[in-house]
């Protein structure tokens, strides 16, 4: 039995559960066989894999689009959905912020991969 089943590879739901030899996602219904000794966060070489909100793999230098409006401390407006962010850099950030970038009009900041999609 798996102590902590991995999140769903399709919808990133954290509430997956084990059913016989499969892991099942209660939100989207996706079923898969978990890889032996894998947490789902690394590829075959042991490097960390960062995915966007729809499951596309992100790499350094990609352009992404913000999918929902984000509040920014010290800014009256925040970042609007649809804002393009160019030349991202993947980092091991704090509290799930795994993208380091410069947003036009806001400057350097870190974003979560769950609020962007590859564009």
């Amino acid at each position: 039995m798996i102590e902590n089943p991995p999140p769903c590879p399709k919808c990133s739901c954290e509430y997956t559960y084990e059913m016989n030899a499969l892991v099942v996602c209660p939100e989207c219904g996706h079923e898969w066989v978990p890889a032996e000794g894998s947490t789902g966060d690394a590829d075959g070489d042991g490097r960390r894999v960062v995915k966007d909100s729809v499951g596309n793999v992100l790499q350094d230098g990609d352009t992404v689009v913000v999918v929902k409006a984000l509040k920014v401390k010290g800014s009256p407006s925040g970042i609007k959905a649809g804002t393009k962010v160019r030349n991202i850099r993947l980092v091991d950030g704090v509290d799930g912020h795994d993208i380091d970038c410069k947003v036009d009009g806001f400057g350097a900041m870190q974003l979560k991969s769950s609020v962007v999609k590859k564009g």
Side-chain angles (χ1 to χ4, degrees):
M1 180 164 194
I2 301 173
E3 180 88 19
N4 293 321
C8 178
K10 280 196 169 185
C11 71
S12 300
C13 172
E14 299 176 1
Y15 304 109
T16 57
Y17 59 92
E18 189 174 7
M19 185 173 71
N20 299 329
L22 298 175
V23 176
V24 181
C25 175
E27 288 188 8
C28 70
H30 181 64
E31 300 176 347
W32 73 98
V33 177
E36 287 292 322
S38 173
T39 62
D41 291 341
D43 62 8
D45 298 334
R47 293 179 301 200
R48 196 168 70 101
V49 175
V50 177
K51 294 184 179 184
D52 66 4
S53 62
V54 293
N56 298 322
V57 176
L58 297 174
Q59 298 177 349
D60 287 346
D62 281 346
T63 297
V64 295
V65 177
V66 177
V67 295
K68 69 180 213 174
L70 303 172
K71 294 180 182 177
V72 178
K73 252 185 190 174
S75 170
S77 61
I79 300 173
K80 295 180 180 175
T83 302
K84 271 194 174 184
V85 179
R86 292 177 173 79
N87 199 19
I88 65 168
R89 194 170 55 113
L90 303 178
V91 295
D92 289 329
V94 180
D95 291 334
H97 293 81
D98 45 13
I99 297 174
D100 199 19
C101 61
K102 289 184 182 176
V103 180
D104 290 340
F106 293 94
M109 63 177 46
Q110 289 189 340
L111 298 173
K112 293 182 178 183
S113 58
S114 60
V115 298
V116 300
K117 72 175 181 178
K118 199 169 185 175

